[in-house]
Amino acid sequence: MKKKKTQDNNIVTNRKAFHDYFLEEHFEAGIALEGWEVKALRAGRVQIKESHILIKNGEVFLFAAFINPLPSASTHVFPDPQRTRKLLLHKHQIAKLIGAAQRDGYTLAPINLYWKNGFVKVDVAIAKGKKEFDKRQVNKERDWQREKARVMKNHQ
């Protein structure tokens, strides 16, 4: 039996979000892009580490995502690398995000960009901010899991 070769559809992951937030619920959103932005995403010229999601007038937007234009971009297009991009969600999903974002200590964070059926999707998470002691506790737990796995491996 021959294994199918799976291709990596991930464009970029916001690893800083895993460190700074507890991620509770995830939503898949489309994103409104221009042609030059799609070409730049295919080349991997994107950074979402400092980006964030805001809701204005019942619409969801991705702010501060940096998509670096290719040098071969068209001459009649003037690309804006940090343009505000609209996220495409259903009304019931937007209502849930609005309710979550209004709770104290919660925010909306873009987790990663990926390809799905030829379209670019954004993984949006409802995130609760971690305090400094939470971050230390997570590091201790991760170290303990590593040590436990090492001991079990040596024991066998």
Side-chain angles (χ1 to χ4, degrees):
M1 188 176 222
K2 196 173 187 181
K3 278 189 176 179
K4 283 188 177 180
K5 185 177 181 182
T6 59
Q7 66 183 36
D8 185 25
N9 61 353
N10 195 26
I11 299 170
V12 66
T13 301
N14 185 358
R15 295 195 332 239
K16 187 176 183 211
F18 291 100
H19 183 261
D20 292 342
Y21 302 108
F22 291 113
L23 306 177
E24 294 188 357
E25 192 172 354
H26 293 263
F27 294 90
E28 179 181 81
I31 183 169
L33 296 172
E34 295 177 356
W36 67 268
E37 293 172 323
V38 175
K39 290 180 180 181
L41 287 175
R42 288 195 191 282
R45 299 169 66 104
V46 62
Q47 185 262 332
I48 61 170
K49 184 167 62 170
E50 299 296 327
S51 63
H52 55 282
I53 295 173
L54 292 178
I55 301 172
K56 284 187 178 178
N57 301 327
E59 295 179 325
V60 184
F61 294 96
L62 177 65
F63 285 90
F66 189 80
I67 298 178
N68 196 7
L70 294 170
S72 62
S74 180
T75 56
H76 67 279
V77 175
F78 301 104
D80 180 13
Q82 288 192 315
R83 179 177 78 87
T84 299
R85 295 164 182 95
K86 184 176 179 180
L87 298 182
L88 310 171
L89 291 155
H90 293 285
K91 284 184 179 182
H92 63 88
Q93 291 174 323
I94 293 173
K96 199 166 194 175
L97 290 175
I98 289 171
Q102 290 176 348
R103 287 188 289 174
D104 201 28
Y106 283 85
T107 187
L108 304 176
I111 304 304
N112 66 1
L113 293 174
Y114 58 94
W115 296 101
K116 183 174 179 183
N117 298 329
F119 295 103
V120 178
K121 301 290 184 178
V122 180
D123 184 17
V124 178
I126 298 172
K128 183 168 174 50
K130 285 184 183 176
K131 305 279 192 247
E132 196 61 39
F133 63 86
D134 290 331
K135 294 176 187 178
R136 285 194 297 268
Q137 185 63 35
V138 168
N139 287 338
K140 284 180 187 176
E141 182 66 29
R142 188 179 326 121
D143 291 344
W144 166 242
Q145 292 298 330
R146 256 191 234 128
E147 185 64 31
K148 189 166 64 171
R150 191 176 299 126
V151 167
M152 292 299 287
K153 183 179 176 185
N154 290 337
H155 184 67
Q156 293 176 348

